């Protein structure tokens, strides 16, 4: 099976300032860029991934290519915080593939678990996607903690232990006027 390859000719014909953006027939918006210093191409596309039991998880698909157009890596990143999630494919310049579960490095309490907690607390709604655009999730690798800020009509701050799932902090922030 032949590995994925970047269409350099189409990119060069349509790019402006080393960027080319277009929409696929299914509505997915794709943005391609070329780093002028390294010659590496990168492609991002945004969409909604259907994944049971979580019906709506916003993500963007990142693909990076070597200057010759051969695929370098591809995988999904969470829109909130740009964290790599799930299985990623990495390729060397000869096209040999290595698959890595990037989500495994975040501990036993995964980003899906964070989303399920927020849904249960009605801070977001995974069945409709409501609140996902007002959500920021980051990961503190030194403390093995998930940090969440969500604005469902107020501002809530949450912290979770990524190994145990313990809620370390859960509060509505009050701002003085």
């Amino acid at each position: 099976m032949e590995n994925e390859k970047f269409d350099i000719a189409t990119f060069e014909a349509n790019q402006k300032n080393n960027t080319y953006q277009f929409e696929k027939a299914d509505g997915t918006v794709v943005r391609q860029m070329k780093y002028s210093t390294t010659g590496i191409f990168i492609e991002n596309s945004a969409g909604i991934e259907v994944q049971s039991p979580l019906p709506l998880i916003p993500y963007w698909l990142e693909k990076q290519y070597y200057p010759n157009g051969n695929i370098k890596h591809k995988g999904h990143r969470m829109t909130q915080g740009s964290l790599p999630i799930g299985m990623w494919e990495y390729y060397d310049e000869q096209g040999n593939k290595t698959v890595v579960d990037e989500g495994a490095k975040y501990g036993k309490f995964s980003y899906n678990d964070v989303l399920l907690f927020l849904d249960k607390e009605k801070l977001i709604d995974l069945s409709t996607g409501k609140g996902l655009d007002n959500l920021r999730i980051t990961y503190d690798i030194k403390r093995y903690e998930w940090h969440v800020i969500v604005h469902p009509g107020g501002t809530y701050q949450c912290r979770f232990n990524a190994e145990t799932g313990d809620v370390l902090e859960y509060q509505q922030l009050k701002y003085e006027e």
Side-chain angles (χ1 to χ4, degrees):
M1 184 169 96
E2 190 173 319
N3 287 333
E4 200 171 322
K5 195 157 175 92
F6 189 83
D7 187 347
I8 295 172
T10 300
F11 174 82
E12 293 296 348
N14 294 287
Q15 66 89 17
K16 188 173 191 174
N17 297 323
N18 285 330
T19 302
Y20 171 44
Q21 185 166 313
F22 60 94
E23 187 172 327
K24 291 182 177 180
D26 67 1
T28 301
V29 176
V30 177
R31 188 167 139 210
Q32 298 175 333
M33 297 164 283
K34 179 180 180 183
Y35 293 111
S36 56
T37 54
T38 62
I40 288 177
F41 295 95
I42 191 164
E43 178 177 286
N44 299 326
S45 58
I48 299 294
E49 178 181 18
V50 178
Q51 184 180 26
S52 180
L54 305 176
L56 295 173
I57 300 175
Y59 72 93
W60 48 281
L61 175 64
E62 177 180 293
K63 297 180 185 179
Q64 198 171 93
Y65 299 85
Y66 290 104
N68 65 4
N70 289 342
I71 186 85
K72 185 173 184 179
H73 72 248
K74 71 178 176 180
H76 292 98
R77 291 186 184 274
M78 284 188 70
T79 303
Q80 314 84 3
S82 300
L83 296 170
I85 58 173
M87 304 307 284
W88 277 62
E89 297 176 5
Y90 294 92
Y91 299 83
D92 63 19
E93 292 188 58
Q94 290 72 45
N96 299 310
K97 178 170 83 170
T98 303
V99 178
V100 176
D101 182 358
E102 292 291 349
K105 67 180 161 188
Y106 303 125
K108 296 174 188 158
F109 191 75
S110 73
Y111 59 91
N112 280 337
D113 296 320
V114 171
L115 293 172
L116 286 169
F117 175 89
L118 298 173
D119 183 67
K120 183 178 144 221
E121 294 295 315
K122 303 204 181 319
L123 298 174
I124 62 172
D125 186 336
L126 291 173
S127 65
T128 65
K130 185 178 178 186
L132 292 174
D133 54 345
N134 293 314
L135 171 66
R136 193 177 81 127
I137 300 175
T138 57
Y139 185 78
D140 184 333
I141 197 149
K142 291 180 182 173
R143 294 184 174 170
Y144 302 106
E145 292 178 359
W146 290 103
H147 294 215
V148 178
I149 299 283
V150 62
H151 307 278
T155 300
Y156 290 81
Q157 181 172 307
C158 309
R159 284 187 310 123
F160 305 91
N161 180 299
E163 283 301 314
T164 64
D166 291 342
V167 178
L168 304 173
E169 178 180 16
Y170 178 39
Q171 66 176 333
Q172 183 173 10
L173 301 178
K174 307 284 186 202
Y175 296 102
E176 302 213 8
E177 296 182 27

